[in-house]
Amino acid sequence: MAKVITFANVKGGSGKSTLCINMAAILIRAGYSVALVDADQQKCSQDWIAETKDKLLSKVKIIDQAEVGSTKDFDFLMIDTQGSLTKEMAQFLLQSSLIITPCRVSRDDLVGQGWIEVFLKQSGQSELKPPILTVLNGVNKRSSI
């Protein structure tokens, strides 16, 4: 079964799709097989891969959400979620090997990241809780945390 990396933040525009696509390319370059589920209604990741001329990204297999359980042929499954806390996202989070929450240095992004942690604590799955890695992006010299 593939290792599942879910990119989640309940706030839109935090960089989930961009980070997901770049991580997929890094894993392909390292020799791994990668599948991707674009669970965002905007389908940015799916469009990015479908329209790419990049040799690395063209090796990423786009799969439907219904196929998540049949990813044994891949080393990694990347899940790009939409910017809201839905039942779908809840299922993805609980199936994850790792959750990556991209955040711009803004109050709203950091609060959105916090809701992911709150959800996991309240899920009752504390013994199965996947690690969360928060990635700060869009940081410049004038940013303060």
Side-chain angles (χ1 to χ4, degrees):
M1 176 104 175
K3 291 186 186 337
V4 179
I5 302 176
T6 301
F7 296 81
N9 189 321
V10 299
K11 182 184 171 293
S14 61
K16 294 180 294 290
S17 298
T18 302
L19 190 55
C20 181
I21 291 294
N22 282 290
M23 287 293 299
I26 288 168
L27 291 168
I28 291 287
R29 184 184 311 155
Y32 295 105
S33 59
V34 177
L36 185 140
V37 171
D38 192 342
D40 190 343
Q41 293 174 344
Q42 295 177 11
K43 301 293 183 203
C44 293
S45 293
Q46 183 173 320
D47 291 346
W48 195 339
I49 290 171
E51 297 171 11
T52 191
K53 293 179 182 171
D54 184 286
K55 291 179 182 177
L56 293 174
L57 290 180
S58 64
K59 295 178 182 179
V60 176
K61 171 77 171 157
I62 299 289
I63 64 170
D64 189 73
Q65 294 178 38
E67 298 176 86
V68 168
S70 62
T71 56
K72 62 183 177 201
D73 296 334
F74 297 95
D75 298 313
F76 287 92
L77 171 63
M78 317 296 274
I79 301 175
D80 182 16
T81 63
Q82 67 182 27
S84 61
L85 190 56
T86 63
K87 288 182 181 181
E88 283 178 331
M89 184 191 283
Q91 292 171 346
F92 291 140
L93 293 175
L94 292 174
Q95 295 173 9
S96 299
S97 308
L98 173 66
I99 299 168
I100 297 179
T101 57
C103 290
R104 295 188 186 278
V105 183
S106 76
R107 178 192 145 321
D108 291 343
D109 280 30
L110 294 171
V111 167
Q113 184 275 341
W115 278 110
I116 301 299
E117 291 192 31
V118 167
F119 169 78
L120 285 171
K121 284 181 184 173
Q122 293 181 349
S123 71
Q125 304 284 337
S126 58
E127 68 279 353
L128 302 173
K129 189 173 84 168
I132 299 174
L133 173 65
T134 300
V135 176
L136 294 177
N137 60 34
V139 177
N140 63 45
K141 290 185 224 178
R142 296 174 293 160
S143 296
S144 63
I145 301 173

